[in-house]
Amino acid sequence: MPDNTDAWFTKPPSYPKTEKLLSKGIQIFLYEKGFFYGKVMIIDHTVANISTANWDPRSFYLNDEASCIIYDREIIAHVEREINEDKANSRRLTKRVIDEIPKWERSLQKTPEWIYYYF
């Protein structure tokens, strides 16, 4: 995920979900060489979803998001190489990084999710 976002106010509400993912052993990397709006999900090296959708109600019902499901293993292997290159330009998100988030920013994590529908 991007280390810097184009909508800073959406980042704090993600902290509880991010911490839950970390506690389950999920590795999260913060991309440091810019901002990419696309999302990529690869399942067992056999299915890839490349999308602009955020997997939230706004993306599905309000915005004109696009998603592409890919089953071609050669293309998926290429996408995985690109992801590894992006990971090389990222820093790993850890509990320590989360603990260093300023208190004022942490206080915004309880913003009601319905507000994000309008931004």
Side-chain angles (χ1 to χ4, degrees):
M1 57 194 255
D3 195 18
N4 296 306
T5 177
D6 62 342
W8 69 268
F9 52 84
T10 63
K11 201 171 180 181
S14 73
Y15 297 151
K17 294 173 185 171
T18 302
E19 288 176 285
K20 185 174 182 178
L21 290 170
L22 287 174
S23 75
K24 301 290 183 185
I26 303 296
Q27 293 181 2
I28 300 172
F29 294 86
L30 301 172
Y31 185 65
E32 298 182 303
K33 288 189 83 175
F35 181 81
F36 176 68
Y37 190 75
K39 288 79 175 171
V40 179
M41 176 174 35
I42 298 175
I43 303 168
D44 297 332
H45 312 287
T46 59
V47 179
N49 178 357
I50 300 176
S51 176
T52 60
N54 290 322
W55 292 86
D56 64 2
R58 181 180 176 89
S59 289
F60 291 130
Y61 302 113
L62 183 64
N63 296 342
D64 291 326
E65 303 286 359
S67 191
C68 179
I69 307 295
I70 301 169
Y71 297 97
D72 184 293
R73 289 183 186 232
E74 186 176 327
I75 292 173
I76 293 169
H78 176 78
V79 172
E80 288 178 321
R81 288 190 297 275
E82 294 289 329
I83 289 171
N84 287 330
E85 185 176 323
D86 287 347
K87 282 169 57 176
N89 292 305
S90 302
R91 65 185 171 111
R92 189 166 175 188
L93 181 63
T94 63
K95 178 78 169 113
R96 182 177 178 196
V97 172
I98 290 175
D99 289 343
E100 293 173 356
I101 295 170
K103 288 183 184 193
W104 71 266
E105 189 175 337
R106 294 283 291 195
S107 71
L108 298 174
Q109 72 186 11
K110 295 186 187 232
T111 303
E113 288 188 20
W114 63 266
I115 288 176
Y116 303 106
Y117 183 79
Y118 298 101
F119 293 98

